[in-house]
């Protein structure tokens, strides 16, 4: 059935499909991840090919404790312009790749890992398109699955606790649930404030923005001291409790709860640069929460996380209540504690 859906997807106008018998170079989507040539050597090693850069985010989106490897490839000779406020405006032809995996034992990397999916965002002439690729059990390649998939996964976390999960790979339409802004699909993570940090490359450590500028990928980068820098949510050395809690809410919630996001009708704006207390949800009544309110009156009650709808929904795993709605079945316990501490410190 999945193979049939893939074939049907290729037949849908706008997906860049071409006749399988055409002798012309095939545009995306390709059937397999390997066809993109993003990696050198054994695919599971995720070693970037020439012209591909790995990157990281200061505070990433939570996805049921999955680890992620991120890569970007821009067309040769193309550049991206610096901007301090939003995700960088990558040129047509850019590919952003994100591989989700779980370590077999988080306490010992030598015990290996299991790659589950690689999501590609491809900037085509009609706009960004999302393609989910699911890894085979042999870990030799990943295949496009437009209908998504479910994979049972188990791992040992950093405390030595054995955990398991039925991991969900989103289908192509579900990708839009997080990646739509103003009715257009867009990337979420790679903004200047998220990339402004040290990354360990194969040839040494360097600030990511500095490397992009040095490689002439990034134009008009100001002095790093002038570039905004998002706090690392779980590193107190990078910001106050408020700065780290707001950083977590920005990446996990603001792609929907913003003026251009799918949840804009909620009147909630959780972007990092929003400072209006009401728009942040402080003492704000929900527009429509239903049973998602848990009987509480306000999105956030200063000084009282236990009375705040936001915390109630972050602590829920009920699909009709939980927030974020997608890519989460587990409670991100550590970040919930951080958000609670932030709310507790807010002055009424």
């Amino acid at each position: 059935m999945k193979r049939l859906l893939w074939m049907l997807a290729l037949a849908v106008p706008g997906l860049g499909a071409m006749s399988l018998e055409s002798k012309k170079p095939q545009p995306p989507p390709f059937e397999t991840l390997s066809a993109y040539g993003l990696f050198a050597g054994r695919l599971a090693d995720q070693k970037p090919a020439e012209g591909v850069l790995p990157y990281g985010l200061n505070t990433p989106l939570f996805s049921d404790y999955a680890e992620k490897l991120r890569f970007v490839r821009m067309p040769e000779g193309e550049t991206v312009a610096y901007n301090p406020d939003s995700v960088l405006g990558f040129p047509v032809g850019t590919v952003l790749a994100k591989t989700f995996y779980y370590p077999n034992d988080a306490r010992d990397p030598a015990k290996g890992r299991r790659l589950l999916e690689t999501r590609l965002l491809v900037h085509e002439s009609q706009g960004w398109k999302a393609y989910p690729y699911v890894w085979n059990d042999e870990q030799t390649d990943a295949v496009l699955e437009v209908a998504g998939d479910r994979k049972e996964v188990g791992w040992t976390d950093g405390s030595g606790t054995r955990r398991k999960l039925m991991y969900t790979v989103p289908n192509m339409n579900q990708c839009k649930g997080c990646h739509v802004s103003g009715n257009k699909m867009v990337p979420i993570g790679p903004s200047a404030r998220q990339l402004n940090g040290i990354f360990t490359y194969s040839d040494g450590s360097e600030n990511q923005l500095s490397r992009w500028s040095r490689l002439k990928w990034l134009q008009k980068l100001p002095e790093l001291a002038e570039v905004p820098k998002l706090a690392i949510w779980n590193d107190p050395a990078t910001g106050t409790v408020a700065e780290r809690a707001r950083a977590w809410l920005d990446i996990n919630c603001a792609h929907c709860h913003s003026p251009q996001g799918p949840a804009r009708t909620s009147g909630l704006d959780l972007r990092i640069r929003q400072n209006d207390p009401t728009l942040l949800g402080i003492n704000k009544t929900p527009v429509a929460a239903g049973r998602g309110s848990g009987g509480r009156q306000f999105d956030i009650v200063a000084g009282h996380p236990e009375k705040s709808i936001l915390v109630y929904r972050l602590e829920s795993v009920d699909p009709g209540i939980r927030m974020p709605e997608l890519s989460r079945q587990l409670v991100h316990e550590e970040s919930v504690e951080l958000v609670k501490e932030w709310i507790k410190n807010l002055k009424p």
Side-chain angles (χ1 to χ4, degrees):
M1 176 60 74
K2 290 175 181 175
R3 186 66 52 221
L4 175 61
L5 289 171
W6 183 81
M7 294 298 289
L8 289 172
L10 289 181
V12 174
L15 289 183
M18 295 180 66
S19 166
L20 295 177
E21 297 180 358
S22 172
K23 295 182 180 179
K24 296 180 180 179
Q26 299 288 305
F30 301 124
E31 183 174 3
T32 60
L33 176 64
S34 57
Y36 289 86
L38 295 170
F39 304 102
R42 201 170 70 102
L43 200 65
D45 291 340
Q46 297 280 280
K47 179 182 177 182
E50 185 176 353
V52 178
L53 271 183
Y55 71 94
L57 304 179
N58 285 335
T59 291
L61 192 146
F62 173 73
S63 303
D64 284 337
Y65 292 102
E67 301 286 344
K68 301 167 189 173
L69 302 167
R70 297 176 176 82
F71 306 90
V72 55
R73 181 177 68 191
M74 290 200 300
E76 187 174 357
E78 296 282 353
T79 61
V80 60
Y82 167 81
N83 85 74
D85 297 323
S86 58
V87 170
L88 300 177
F90 294 97
V92 170
T94 298
V95 178
L96 298 173
K98 183 164 61 175
T99 296
F100 295 70
Y101 75 92
Y102 286 88
N104 293 327
D105 188 336
R107 300 167 301 175
D108 185 2
K111 292 185 177 179
R113 64 190 181 189
R114 180 185 175 193
L115 309 181
L116 292 174
E117 62 160 322
T118 297
R119 297 179 194 172
L120 298 187
L121 277 181
V122 182
H123 198 184
E124 301 176 1
S125 58
Q126 303 90 350
W128 288 95
K129 299 291 178 61
Y131 302 117
Y133 288 81
V134 178
W135 281 81
N136 59 25
D137 293 338
E138 297 77 21
Q139 301 280 275
T140 56
D141 208 339
V143 177
L144 178 64
E145 296 287 4
V146 296
D149 204 350
R150 288 167 64 83
K151 294 276 190 180
E152 186 173 2
V153 61
W155 76 101
T156 300
D157 68 17
S159 69
T161 302
R162 189 64 185 167
R163 309 189 71 161
K164 62 181 180 179
L165 174 75
M166 186 58 76
Y167 183 87
T168 301
V169 178
N171 63 45
M172 287 177 61
N173 282 330
Q174 287 175 317
C175 292
K176 297 177 182 176
C178 293
H179 284 277
V180 167
S181 178
N183 297 321
K184 292 183 179 179
M185 178 166 278
V186 295
I188 293 176
S191 62
R193 70 179 70 242
Q194 281 275 23
L195 296 169
N196 188 7
I198 301 297
F199 188 89
T200 302
Y201 298 94
S202 60
D203 59 353
S205 298
E206 185 177 4
N207 180 285
Q208 296 183 105
L209 295 176
S210 296
R211 173 160 293 220
W212 288 32
S213 178
R214 183 167 59 78
L215 295 177
K216 302 189 185 308
W217 280 33
L218 181 62
Q219 291 183 327
K220 300 181 180 179
L221 176 67
E223 294 295 325
L224 285 181
E226 300 174 17
V227 179
K229 186 174 185 178
L230 196 68
I232 299 173
W233 75 274
N234 60 350
D235 184 352
T238 65
T240 64
V241 167
E243 290 168 338
R244 290 184 289 120
R246 290 290 309 277
W248 190 91
L249 293 171
D250 179 75
I251 188 64
N252 283 277
C253 308
H255 49 81
C256 283
H257 290 286
S258 66
Q260 299 297 318
R264 55 186 176 275
T265 56
S266 69
L268 200 59
D269 184 359
L270 294 174
R271 293 176 299 169
I272 190 71
R273 59 182 184 274
Q274 179 55 259
N275 292 311
D276 184 302
T278 301
L279 293 177
L280 286 174
I282 299 173
N283 297 327
K284 171 187 170 301
T285 55
V287 173
R291 70 187 184 95
S293 70
R296 293 156 176 78
Q297 289 185 293
F298 302 103
D299 291 338
I300 293 174
V301 179
H304 294 280
E306 78 283 1
K307 296 180 180 178
S308 300
I309 294 173
L310 185 145
V311 172
Y312 173 70
R313 304 192 75 165
L314 291 178
E315 289 185 318
S316 176
V317 294
D318 184 323
I321 297 174
R322 73 186 180 207
M323 285 287 172
E325 293 178 323
L326 300 175
S327 296
R328 182 175 81 79
Q329 301 174 57
L330 304 176
V331 175
H332 193 189
E333 298 171 3
E334 299 82 1
S335 69
V336 170
E337 290 305 311
L338 177 66
V339 172
K340 282 182 173 179
E341 189 175 356
W342 168 57
I343 295 175
K344 191 174 181 179
N345 291 336
L346 292 174
K347 303 299 181 185

